[in-house]
Amino acid sequence: MDSTRPALRLFVLHHAGGSHLLYRHWPAMLPDSWDVRLLDAPGHGLLLDRPQIADAGRLADFLLRRIEPRPDRPYALFGHSMGALVAYEITRRLVDRGLPLPVWVGVSARPAPQLAGQGHGYHELPDAELRSRLRLLGGTPDEVFDDPDLWAVFDPMIRADMRLVDTWRPAPDHAPLPVALSAYAGVEDHSASPRRMAGWEEHTDHFVGLRVFDGGHFYFQRDPAPLLRQIERDATTALDAAGATRTS
């Protein structure tokens, strides 16, 4: 194997209203042999100057062009909350278009596709209630809620992302994904409880498992190490299995 080529390229997809910044320490905490790439959706993070995309399918198409899957380079996807449903949409497109598939997909804090439409309708909430709900969820700095000028900047972006999540409906009658998949949940996450996350098993031919951690929707925010150790184990197992299949 070419020693200059990464053992695995991991793409990380962020949550609604967020960006790569919450995950910025992850590359240094994952194996040195991995190439960890933190993707931003348009209108977020490093792509703040681009028009936002408020449709899951169109966002998946945009990010798929950034991923550029190649048959000789193993890669994986991990998405948290909104990022999880976008990772699912990306993988569906890869399957439908006959493109090289990821060796592993990790979905975090997003209920399984069959539960789409049973969300909270956050994008339609009055201003004060939306700020209150988001503060409880975590993942957004308090100064965004406390500074009227900052909130005026972030409010349209957050609502557009929430509209994407609230209105997403997966295409019906799809076969399970032919990729290894792990689901991750916070035991105190009421929007994506472990019970609701367990439904992901129906959407893959190889369910690696449901992993449950202490905490709520952003269970990894204070200390991502337990999650990252589990991601390393799950993705490495899937990578080894894919290698064994290719050589058998």
Side-chain angles (χ1 to χ4, degrees), residues 106-120:
V107 291
S108 170
R110 171 66 205 182
Q114 68 266 32
L115 299 174
Q118 301 179 22
H120 300 276

Side-chain angles (χ1 to χ4, degrees), residues 155-169:
D155 177 45
M157 176 185 73
I158 292 171
R159 287 187 185 275
D161 282 352
M162 291 297 183
R163 185 182 305 113
L164 181 154
V165 172
D166 290 339
T167 61
W168 175 63
R169 301 293 182 271

Side-chain angles (χ1 to χ4, degrees), residues 53-68:
I53 299 175
D55 174 80
R58 288 177 52 228
L59 180 54
D61 285 333
F62 175 89
L63 294 173
L64 181 52
R65 292 192 291 272
R66 297 275 170 135
I67 291 170
E68 296 182 338

Side-chain angles (χ1 to χ4, degrees), residues 32-46:
D32 292 340
S33 60
W34 289 18
D35 177 12
V36 181
R37 301 197 175 188
L38 311 179
L39 300 180
D40 279 321
H44 302 68
L46 298 175

Side-chain angles (χ1 to χ4, degrees), residues 7-31:
L8 182 70
R9 180 163 286 159
L10 175 66
F11 295 93
V12 178
L13 289 78
H14 63 76
H15 57 285
S19 73
H20 72 280
L21 286 174
L22 183 62
Y23 314 89
R24 64 190 180 278
H25 301 301
W26 287 25
M29 299 176 71
L30 286 164

